[in-house]
């Protein structure tokens, strides 16, 4: 299992921030997932080994956090907020639109592996609702048309 | 990234550097940055605590506890290291203000953390930022590195002979982790389940050491208090509710956005003047005054000053500053269901009343909204909710129950309109109608 140099430098530094090794676990899992795409058995073994934890300890933590996943996802994970402020500004319709446009439902991935789709809880964009994140990028004040444009842009990014 | 708004009634204390490029440390210094910590370095710890106590600053994370008083609970002597923990998990639905602070003025949070540390005798602090806010974590990482480079952090800060370390920490998606004890569990690399209290974090917190946990906005309010004085800050607000607050207006309102208004600002004015009223000629039906955990107010209950004590008297809470307007095209049963789905999803499962209660309530509300409700359900929803109150390790159970109880009590007729297999009377209208979008 190889991570980037940046990952390794950050990991080494983070270990110096806390009195216990284990404290780096949550951010480290997310950074590892960003590089590996998902938390595979191999990644879990590696991180457990580095932090003197059992694999079960690590899996227990993974299953708690909604951003962590042990299953492969699309290159672009489209996460549309379904919570109250977004709901009042058309989140239901936006979700339906995305599902139709991408041809997948909640937690699904397109056959070409490009997009995944997820309904998520409040992402802290309530005053700019309805809102979504694609991977870590925020997209706000969305309409169906705006969403289409955004998805097309991501699609062209890989070509 | 996030758009800024403004209104003439705003009093900018926490937001005074918004839009001014203050993420740059030199710019921050030009704008009075790191002056407060220099001043605090010359003060006795008790003097700092008293200043903050007398300013009437109350926690902006939701519970509204007097910040100086909280700091005073930290024991003077401790065998274990003491810590400051900034809560930047911001996940209370309707709340999007800490995001702006991290984005526009990250150094103000760092400065608040250092001052809190000087006050309680801690020499390190952690700034926890939710995982979804990756770009803000990066802004904070750079701000911390810049502060180290200037000698404001690390050994001998500002040449004072004092040492202070500040570290960043990122989450990975969990509302419950915003709860103070779960936050500590998460920082320690565990599942975010709450701890039993007492002991309170001020006595036994991170790795067993005394820990002050404050919301990001609370900490960003501290430097202005040290510079401007307790009296000035207290006088901005109402008695026992010092200062200003970032109110996040969202939902059915013409000018959504985050506005910094004095504590005690009238809610009706906030909605109709600051927020520009309700779009599409609709009428206001209800308001969520401080994030989804707060009991709702009806449109008849909004002529009141927005401070912690008044909202408490009105049977609700000022909460986290998320003010969500709900118009008369909205089905309140559906709204209650949406709120309950959230809490069911976020319950960490540690306490049975919360885990089972939110699940039963979600199932009942789902069936009810789809037309399968029976009259008995209405009382049952209320009864189940009431039975969650105060029976859990952390207040997530209460957070799920309180808005639900208020919706059943205040909008009972809407529940009755769903009975006897009748389809939801709102389904066709409301949701499909497009709201103005400010792109
Ligand atoms: C379920 C739950 C979620 C919470 N989420 C947050 C949060 O995201 N941010 C926050 O500052 N406080 C949150 N709180 C409140 C914290 O427990 C704590 O009271 C607060 O961080 C203390 O800081 P303050 O006194 O400055 O408000 C939450 C509380 C509960 C019960
Ligand atoms: S409710 Fe959608 S971002 Fe907060």
């Amino acid at each position: 299992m190889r991570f980037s140099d940046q990952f390794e430098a950050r990991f080494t530094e983070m270990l110096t921030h806390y009195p216990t090794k284990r404290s780096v676990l949550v951010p480290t899992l997310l950074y590892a997932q960003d590089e590996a795409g998902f938390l595979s058995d191999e990644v879990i073994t590696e991180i457990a080994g580095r932090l003197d934890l059992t694999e079960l300890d690590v899996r227990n933590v993974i299953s708690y956090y909604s951003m962590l996943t042990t299953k492969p996802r699309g290159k672009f994970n489209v996460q549309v907020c379904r919570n109250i402020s977004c709901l009042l500004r058309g989140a239901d319709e936006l979700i339906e639109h995305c599902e139709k446009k991408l041809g997948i439902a909640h937690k699904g991935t397109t056959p070409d592996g490009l997009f995944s789709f997820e309904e998520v809880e409040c992402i802290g964009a309530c005053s700019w609702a309805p809102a979504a994140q694609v991977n870590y990028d925020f997209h706000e004040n969305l309409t169906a048309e705006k969403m289409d444009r955004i998805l097309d842009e991501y699609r062209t990014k890989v070509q | 990234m996030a758009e800024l708004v403004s209104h003439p009634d705003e009093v900018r204390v926490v937001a005074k550097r918004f839009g001014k490029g203050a993420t740059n440390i030199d710019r921050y210094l030009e704008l009075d940055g790191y002056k407060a910590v220099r001043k605090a370095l010359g003060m006795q710890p008790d003097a700092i605590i008293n200043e903050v106590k007398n300013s009437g600053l109350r926690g902006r994370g939701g519970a509204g506890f007097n910040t100086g008083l909280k700091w005073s609970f930290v024991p003077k002597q401790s065998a274990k290291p003491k810590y400051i923990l900034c809560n930047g998990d911001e996940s209370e639905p309707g709340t999007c203000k800490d995001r702006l602070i991290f984005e526009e003025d990250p150094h103000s949070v760092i400065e608040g953390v250092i001052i809190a540390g000087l006050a309680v005798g801690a020499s390190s602090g952690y700034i926890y930022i939710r995982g979804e806010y990756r770009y803000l974590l990066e802004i904070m990482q750079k701000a911390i590195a810049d502060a180290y480079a200037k000698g404001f952090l690390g050994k001998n800060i500002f040449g004072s002979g004092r040492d202070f370390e500040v570290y960043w920490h990122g989450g990975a998606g969990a509302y419950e982790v915003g709860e103070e004890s779960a936050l500590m569990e998460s920082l320690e690399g565990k599942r975010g389940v709450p701890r039993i209290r007492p002991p309170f974090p001020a006595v036994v917190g991170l790795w067993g050491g005394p820990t002050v946990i404050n919301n990001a906005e609370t900490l960003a309010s501290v430097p202005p208090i040290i510079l401007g004085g307790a009296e000035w800050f207290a006088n901005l607000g109402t008695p026992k509710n010092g200062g200003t607050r970032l109110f996040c207006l969202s939902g059915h309102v013409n000018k959504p956005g985050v506005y910094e208004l004095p504590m005690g600002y009238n809610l009706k004015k906030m909605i109709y003047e600051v927020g520009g009223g309700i779009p599409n000629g609709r009428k206001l039906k209800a308001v969520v005054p401080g994030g989804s955990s707060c009991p709702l107010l009806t449109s008849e209950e909004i002529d009141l000053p927005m401070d912690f004590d008044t909202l408490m008297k009105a049977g609700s809470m000022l909460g986290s500053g998320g003010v969500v307007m709900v118009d008369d095209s909205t089905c309140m049963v559906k709204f209650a269901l949406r709120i309950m789905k959230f809490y069911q999803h976020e319950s960490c499962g540690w306490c049975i009343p919360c885990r089972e209660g939110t699940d039963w309530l979600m199932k009942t509300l789902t069936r009810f909204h789809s037309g399968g409700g029976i009259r008995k359900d209405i009382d049952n929803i209320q009864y189940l909710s009431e039975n969650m109150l105060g029976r859990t390790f952390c207040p997530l159970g209460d957070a799920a129950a309180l808005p639900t109880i208020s919706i059943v009590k205040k909008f009972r007729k809407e529940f009755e309109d769903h009975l006897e297999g009748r389809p939801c009377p709102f389904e066709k209208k409301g949701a499909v109608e497009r709201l103005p979008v400010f792109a």
Side-chain angles (χ1 to χ4, degrees):
Chain A
M1 187 73 235
R2 271 196 61 82
F3 294 111
S4 69
D5 293 346
Q6 193 198 8
F7 177 97
E8 295 301 348
R10 194 194 297 114
F11 180 75
T12 310
E13 196 210 314
M14 274 170 70
L15 284 175
T16 68
H17 293 178
Y18 312 89
T20 64
K21 259 191 187 179
R22 178 175 187 146
S23 301
V24 306
L25 182 60
V26 175
T28 298
L29 284 169
L30 193 55
Y31 283 120
Q33 176 172 294
D34 290 342
E35 299 202 350
F38 67 106
L39 297 167
S40 61
D41 292 350
E42 199 191 353
V43 174
I44 292 170
T45 310
E46 171 72 23
I47 291 177
R50 288 189 189 200
L51 300 178
D52 302 329
L53 297 170
T54 65
E55 288 181 24
L56 188 62
D57 285 332
V58 176
R59 284 182 193 279
N60 254 326
V61 167
I62 293 171
S63 67
Y64 177 88
Y65 294 91
S66 64
M67 292 173 76
L68 302 177
T69 174
T70 53
K71 297 199 187 77
R73 274 201 301 229
K75 193 173 167 59
F76 303 113
N77 189 28
V78 181
Q79 306 147 76
V80 180
C81 173
R82 62 182 176 192
N83 218 304
I84 50 173
S85 305
C86 292
L87 171 81
L88 297 173
R89 288 189 162 255
D92 280 357
E93 293 73 26
L94 189 65
I95 288 168
E96 214 183 293
H97 179 80
C98 290
E99 288 181 334
K100 263 199 211 127
K101 166 107 181 164
L102 296 170
I104 46 176
H106 181 51
K107 301 223 176 200
T109 302
T110 55
D112 60 4
L114 211 50
F115 290 104
S116 294
F117 176 76
E118 221 179 310
E119 293 173 27
V120 293
E121 300 300 353
C122 178
I123 51 175
C126 325
S127 289
W128 311 283
Q133 273 190 293
V134 180
N135 297 346
Y136 291 107
D137 298 338
F138 278 87
H139 299 283
E140 295 161 341
N141 297 315
L142 290 170
T143 57
E145 300 74 44
K146 200 166 162 188
M147 196 72 208
D148 283 350
R149 253 182 287 134
I150 291 163
L151 294 179
D152 288 342
E153 273 165 34
Y154 281 101
R155 201 183 297 278
T156 49
K157 254 190 202 172
V158 285
Q159 279 160 8
Chain B
M1 280 263 307
E3 290 156 64
L4 300 176
V5 285
S6 66
H7 187 271
D9 283 2
E10 275 191 288
V11 177
R12 295 208 166 186
V13 175
V14 171
K16 77 171 174 205
R17 299 187 194 89
F18 285 13
K20 295 190 177 160
T23 46
N24 179 304
I25 193 164
D26 293 314
R27 185 79 185 113
Y28 182 71
L29 285 166
E30 279 170 24
L31 299 166
D32 296 336
Y34 290 108
K35 272 194 190 153
V37 66
R38 283 178 224 256
K39 183 172 174 191
L41 277 163
M43 292 166 74
Q44 289 299 319
D46 281 344
I48 303 176
I49 292 181
N50 280 332
E51 198 72 5
V52 175
K53 212 192 270 178
N54 296 335
S55 76
L57 173 64
R58 293 168 68 166
R60 305 301 195 231
F65 198 81
N66 181 292
T67 304
L69 192 60
K70 188 190 264 189
W71 293 4
S72 73
F73 296 153
V74 175
K76 295 262 180 294
Q77 302 299 329
S78 167
K80 294 203 168 160
K82 304 178 200 176
Y83 300 99
I84 308 299
L85 173 51
C86 167
N87 190 344
D89 192 57
E90 182 160 79
S91 332
E92 172 83 3
T95 318
C96 48
K97 63 184 179 67
D98 297 341
R99 187 173 156 199
L100 285 181
I101 300 174
F102 291 131
E103 184 168 332
E104 299 284 338
D105 202 10
H107 287 285
S108 68
V109 180
I110 299 175
E111 210 179 335
V113 170
I114 306 174
I115 297 169
L118 295 173
V120 304
S123 55
S124 45
Y126 292 89
I127 298 175
Y128 188 117
I129 298 181
R130 69 181 291 192
E132 290 85 347
Y133 287 178
R134 172 60 64 83
Y135 79 107
L136 299 175
L137 187 63
E138 285 166 3
I139 291 173
M140 186 52 78
Q141 285 163 336
K142 174 156 192 319
I144 293 173
D146 291 346
Y148 271 102
K150 293 257 189 217
F152 301 166
L153 290 174
K155 297 262 172 273
N156 189 20
I157 58 168
F158 301 92
S160 65
R162 302 280 302 261
D163 302 339
F164 201 86
E165 310 288 342
V166 169
Y167 307 110
W168 53 269
H169 191 95
Y175 167 70
E176 168 60 7
V177 156
E179 193 279 327
E180 56 178 20
S181 67
L183 185 71
M184 297 191 290
E185 289 289 298
S186 178
L187 192 90
E188 292 180 11
K190 302 174 204 156
R191 292 170 73 90
V193 294
R195 296 179 183 172
I196 193 163
R197 279 147 289 182
F200 289 95
V203 182
V204 181
L206 280 172
W207 306 289
T211 304
V212 164
I213 301 164
N214 276 130
N215 171 259
E217 185 187 350
T218 312
L219 288 164
S221 305
V222 168
I225 292 170
I226 297 300
L227 279 184
E231 204 185 319
W232 161 76
F233 190 83
N235 287 337
L236 293 175
T238 52
K240 296 206 186 104
N241 289 265
T244 55
R245 153 150 236 194
L246 296 175
F247 288 101
C248 322
L249 271 50
S250 74
H252 293 140
V253 62
N254 271 318
K255 293 186 214 156
V258 179
Y259 300 87
E260 182 165 13
L261 296 164
M263 282 292 233
Y265 195 86
N266 184 283
L267 175 58
K268 195 169 183 179
K269 225 172 139 192
M270 194 184 297
I271 299 168
Y272 290 98
E273 289 180 30
V274 179
I278 314 303
N280 300 330
R282 288 271 174 198
K283 283 223 287 287
L284 183 71
K285 185 192 272 186
V287 180
V288 180
S292 66
S293 309
C294 303
L296 278 71
L297 300 172
T298 67
S299 56
E300 272 80 56
E301 297 171 313
I302 57 169
D303 196 4
L304 44 74
M306 288 286 269
D307 65 44
F308 287 104
D309 302 319
T310 308
L311 269 282
M312 189 68 86
K313 252 186 255 147
S316 186
M317 299 184 303
L318 192 62
S320 61
V323 185
V324 188
M325 271 53 79
V326 180
D327 79 12
D328 60 354
S329 71
T330 314
C331 170
M332 295 312 287
V333 177
K334 183 173 176 182
F335 199 73
L337 168 60
R338 183 74 276 283
I339 290 179
M340 193 50 68
K341 274 189 181 163
F342 168 68
Y343 290 105
Q344 189 270 351
H345 183 259
E346 300 298 328
S347 174
C348 75
W350 192 243
C351 311
I352 296 163
C354 173
R355 182 184 67 217
E356 298 301 313
T358 53
D359 200 53
W360 273 100
L361 283 161
M362 182 190 75
K363 285 175 180 153
T364 309
L365 283 162
T366 304
R367 174 171 50 76
F368 200 99
H369 181 245
S370 62
I374 49 173
R375 191 164 291 275
K376 204 170 70 182
D377 286 331
I378 307 176
D379 288 331
N380 227 355
I381 291 166
Q382 185 172 338
Y383 173 77
L384 266 173
S385 303
E386 281 168 356
N387 272 291
M388 278 158 65
L389 290 177
R391 292 200 165 85
T392 46
F393 280 94
C394 95
L396 194 142
D398 300 350
L402 290 168
T404 312
I405 295 169
S406 77
I407 295 174
V408 175
K409 279 196 183 150
K410 295 179 183 179
F411 300 97
R412 195 178 176 95
K413 173 148 191 322
E414 292 197 20
F415 282 82
E416 285 166 355
D417 289 345
H418 281 72
L419 284 175
E420 289 147 26
R422 260 174 293 180
C424 173
F426 292 92
E427 207 64 314
K428 274 272 146 52
K429 300 177 259 169
V432 186
E433 206 166 279
R434 275 253 91 85
L435 279 152
V437 166
F438 302 91

